[in-house]
Amino acid sequence: MDMDFLKAKSERSASADSPPAYGETTTRRGSLGHRVLESFQRDPNAHVTTFAPFSEGREYDIEDAATKAASSPLHRSLRGRHLQMIAIGGSIGTGLFVGSGRVLATGGPASLLIAYALIGCMLYCAVHALGEMAVIFPVAGSFAHYSTRFIDPAWGFAMGWNYALQWLAILPLEIVAASITVGYWESHISSAVWVTLFWVVIISINLFGVKGYGEAEFVFSSIKIIAVIAFIILGVILNCAGGPGGSYLGATYWRDPGAFHHGFKGLCDVFVNAGFAFAGTELVGLAAAETANPRKSLPTAVKQVFWRITLFYIVSLTLVGFLIPYTDERLINGTSTADTKASPFVISIKNAGIEVLDSVMNVVIMIAVISVGNSAVYGSSRTLAALAEQRQAPRFLAYIDRKGRPLWAICVASALGLFGFLAATDQQEVAFEWMIAISGLSSIFTWGSICLAHIRFRRAWQLQGYSLNELAFRSQAGLIGSWIGFIFNCLVLVAQFWVGFAPIGYETMSTTTLVRTFFSKYLAAPVVLLFYIAYKVRFKTKILRARDMDLRTGRRELNVQWLIKEERAQQATWPAWKKLYKFFC
């Protein structure tokens, strides 16, 4: 080797390793720029997928998929407080604050309340089923992997891509929605400027890794929760004639114009909107793979779902039905699904004649929208990375860097977020309609699959000789709850097919309008079937038998039975009030 080169290298090394100043160690870290660039390198502990490509016709190796999902190098940086806020407020966004206005106009206040309550009860069963499986198997991919592992690899493939596409569509949807919220103040700045700003903010948060996502969601969710609680207090005051020049309302609007609009079909028509509003609750299961101690923090987070459903949705929407008639033209004539001028929360404040507060509520809605966009990047990137590790997506998406970020998956999500620039075109409404069509039914399929996977898991657990006492966390709804959740999800799909095939006012619609309406309401179903059938035919996968399911790979803390017994013995000594509190919290 060239001696001059070695000499120069020795001099540089001596300079870099010069005696440290007082209080310093001899090891020095590189510059900030160097450390940032180095963090994007592949995690040295990450395993590289070495299996044969699909074209070689190799059969799907479900054991290999389970191993890779269990040993993902994602960083376990989320804490209990992060998980709780993701569970409580992670999905509160346009579905509640704005979309509920369209639901109120379509079905009336009773349909609004019934639809959200029924979807909420079904979701309660699904999230508890997910929590039971995620505590014992906190693996990458979560519910999509559970479908692969406990139902059929083809169905897991379909559910994984269904969930990824849902969030990939929601990201530009929420970016556009955020830019539209600015229009409430009649800003003359181009929508493209706001789209760019919100896109940069959302992507930047996710580039800080899972801890950055967790901290951002903690702040965003705290703001949303405070706002909803404040609205509930204000709504009670306004309903009882406490506003400026107000009068007692009570249930006046339930009598005139009425509790229901468009009858039973009006009720069926709002189920998907309710499902869209609750989308994201299942992220607690996806985040389990990046949680420091899922056995401790996940059960608490799952139990918080009860309060979110009861307090933040049911109570607030009951007040919305009391404060605004479904015939209000602002609800009907909203320019888009994200038009905050059509938000029942904003309208009720404006009706009360309270100055400035409507703008404050609009700011909260903007924060909520950014929060859901933030969750969209997180949900889609983790799902794509898990699919790639399980040989169900292109291999480059499995790249995870030294900070635990699925880098290429985040890049794909970020690129699709650029569709948000459609907000600056005259195709904004059309784009919004099809983004919602892709994501609308997706949650219904996801929740139904979670319930079915739990049913199959419990069957395998029993057949292979395990006891329910060996589960660190058990679903409060139990096996019956999973059956109820699964059946109800199927009924929602049937009801939505009917509403899509024969929508309200279909007698006066043209054939083109009918076809467009059907696909705008039911597009997710043919997409899921296409993924499932194509994978099934290509790889000839079989529905798994309960006795053959792998119940060991990826199990966290196999030898904690003594801890569980000790905890349960301690719980038996609790007073009744504490047992009741811990049941719900």
Side-chain angles (χ1 to χ4, degrees):
M1 186 178 289
D2 186 3
M3 295 302 293
D4 291 333
F5 171 78
L6 287 175
K7 184 179 179 180
K9 182 178 179 182
S10 176
E11 289 173 355
R12 288 196 303 269
S13 177
S15 176
D17 296 330
S18 56
Y22 179 76
E24 288 185 5
T25 61
T26 55
T27 302
R28 291 186 176 182
R29 303 180 68 185
S31 66
L32 176 62
H34 176 74
R35 295 200 304 271
V36 170
L37 289 175
E38 194 176 58
S39 72
F40 290 109
Q41 295 177 4
R42 182 186 287 276
D43 190 315
N45 299 315
H47 42 76
V48 182
T49 50
T50 57
F51 41 71
F54 292 158
S55 59
E56 295 184 17
R58 180 177 173 178
E59 291 185 3
Y60 187 79
D61 188 344
I62 194 168
E63 292 183 5
D64 180 68
T67 301
K68 291 183 183 301
S71 56
S72 171
L74 294 170
H75 287 191
R76 302 185 185 279
S77 304
L78 287 179
R79 303 297 176 188
R81 64 185 179 87
H82 297 141
L83 213 58
Q84 288 180 37
M85 279 303 179
I86 291 170
I88 296 175
S91 66
I92 296 177
T94 53
L96 173 65
F97 288 129
V98 183
S100 56
R102 285 261 177 116
V103 174
L104 178 62
T106 301
S111 293
L112 172 73
L113 201 57
I114 292 170
Y116 275 76
L118 288 177
I119 293 290
C121 289
M122 176 269 296
L123 180 60
Y124 178 82
C125 296
V127 172
H128 270 265
L130 175 61
E132 181 178 304
M133 293 185 290
V135 167
I136 193 170
F137 299 110
V139 297
S142 189
F143 30 82
H145 174 71
Y146 300 146
S147 293
T148 294
R149 192 167 182 169
F150 301 130
I151 303 175
D152 178 0
W155 189 249
F157 172 77
M159 286 301 97
W161 277 102
N162 166 69
Y163 196 70
L165 289 174
Q166 172 190 347
W167 285 117
L168 289 173
I170 285 178
L171 175 59
L173 180 72
E174 296 299 325
I175 291 175
V176 173
S179 68
I180 292 175
T181 58
V182 179
Y184 182 80
W185 295 290
E186 298 181 357
S187 170
H188 298 294
I189 301 175
S190 170
S191 297
V193 175
W194 297 113
V195 167
T196 303
L197 175 62
F198 294 129
W199 182 84
V200 169
V201 168
I202 290 170
I203 302 309
S204 298
I205 290 172
N206 279 272
L207 287 178
F208 277 101
V210 67
K211 195 166 185 179
Y213 165 74
E215 291 294 348
E217 280 307 298
F218 183 83
V219 174
F220 292 155
S221 295
S222 299
I223 294 171
K224 290 185 285 186
I225 289 168
I226 292 170
V228 173
I229 293 174
F231 176 81
I232 290 171
I233 296 171
L234 177 64
V236 172
I237 293 172
L238 295 179
N239 188 261
C240 298
S247 58
Y248 176 74
L249 293 174
T252 301
Y253 296 135
W254 281 59
R255 295 189 295 270
D256 181 23
F260 292 94
H261 191 211
H262 297 125
F264 182 66
K265 182 173 284 190
L267 172 63
C268 293
D269 197 26
V270 301
F271 275 124
V272 168
N273 288 288
F276 180 79
F278 281 110
T281 305
E282 68 288 335
L283 279 172
V284 292
L286 197 67
E290 297 177 86
T291 302
N293 190 350
R295 191 176 70 85
K296 289 286 187 182
S297 54
L298 195 57
T300 302
V302 166
K303 291 175 185 177
Q304 301 292 341
V305 173
F306 171 82
W307 296 110
R308 199 187 87 184
I309 293 169
T310 304
L311 182 63
F312 303 132
Y313 283 87
I314 305 304
V315 176
S316 63
L317 292 177
T318 299
L319 288 169
V320 162
F322 285 159
L323 295 173
I324 308 170
Y326 69 72
T327 52
D328 191 302
E329 292 186 359
R330 288 167 294 184
L331 296 177
I332 303 168
N333 299 327
T335 57
S336 76
T337 312
D339 184 2
T340 50
K341 294 178 183 177
S343 166
F345 291 79
V346 174
I347 291 172
S348 59
I349 293 171
K350 287 184 71 69
N351 285 351
I354 303 174
E355 299 292 335
V356 181
L357 201 55
D358 58 322
S359 291
V360 173
M361 194 68 208
N362 195 62
V363 171
V364 172
I365 294 174
M366 184 188 301
I367 291 172
V369 169
I370 295 172
S371 170
V372 177
N374 186 36
S375 296
V377 176
Y378 177 81
S380 60
S381 62
R382 269 57 179 183
T383 303
L384 288 172
L387 285 170
E389 284 290 5
Q390 297 173 60
R391 212 158 52 93
Q392 294 178 329
R395 285 184 287 178
F396 77 93
L397 293 172
Y399 184 99
I400 295 176
D401 66 18
R402 292 174 180 267
K403 290 292 185 181
R405 296 169 295 205
L407 197 58
W408 283 112
I410 290 176
C411 289
V412 169
S414 304
L416 290 178
L418 295 175
F419 279 111
F421 283 103
L422 290 169
T425 71
D426 56 2
Q427 297 300 309
Q428 173 184 299
E429 270 298 301
V430 177
F432 240 94
E433 183 178 352
W434 290 108
M435 288 175 195
I436 292 176
I438 292 172
S439 59
L441 276 179
S442 296
S443 293
I444 306 299
F445 278 105
T446 296
W447 299 333
S449 294
I450 289 170
C451 291
L452 182 58
H454 181 244
I455 292 168
R456 300 276 294 146
F457 160 71
R458 279 287 189 95
R459 177 64 175 162
W461 193 257
Q462 179 187 21
L463 282 180
Q464 295 185 28
Y466 294 100
S467 165
L468 292 182
N469 290 327
E470 296 178 69
L471 295 173
F473 172 71
R474 271 184 278 175
S475 164
Q476 290 179 349
L479 198 58
I480 294 176
S482 292
W483 274 111
I484 292 172
F486 176 68
I487 292 171
F488 187 73
N489 272 287
C490 293
L491 292 176
V492 170
L493 291 175
V494 172
Q496 192 63 22
F497 181 85
W498 174 47
V499 171
F501 183 76
I504 296 170
Y506 72 93
E507 299 89 351
T508 60
M509 293 182 182
S510 65
T511 303
T512 303
T513 304
L514 282 172
V515 171
R516 179 177 173 178
T517 301
F518 175 78
F519 280 105
S520 68
K521 292 181 180 292
Y522 219 73
L523 181 61
V527 169
V528 166
L529 289 176
L530 178 63
F531 274 104
Y532 176 70
I533 293 171
Y535 197 88
K536 189 82 172 173
V537 171
R538 175 68 181 82
F539 296 102
K540 299 179 175 59
T541 61
K542 295 179 181 179
I543 296 175
L544 299 171
R545 297 194 301 178
R547 66 174 61 92
D548 298 329
M549 293 176 188
D550 177 10
L551 297 180
R552 293 192 64 83
T553 304
R555 279 176 61 181
R556 182 77 67 87
E557 300 174 289
L558 289 170
N559 300 314
V560 293
Q561 295 310 308
W562 65 275
L563 275 176
I564 296 173
K565 288 180 181 179
E566 185 178 323
E567 287 174 1
R568 288 175 180 165
Q570 185 180 8
Q571 291 167 8
T573 64
W574 288 348
W577 68 266
K578 190 171 183 179
K579 290 180 180 179
L580 183 64
Y581 173 79
K582 288 294 183 180
F583 180 83
F584 289 109
C585 301

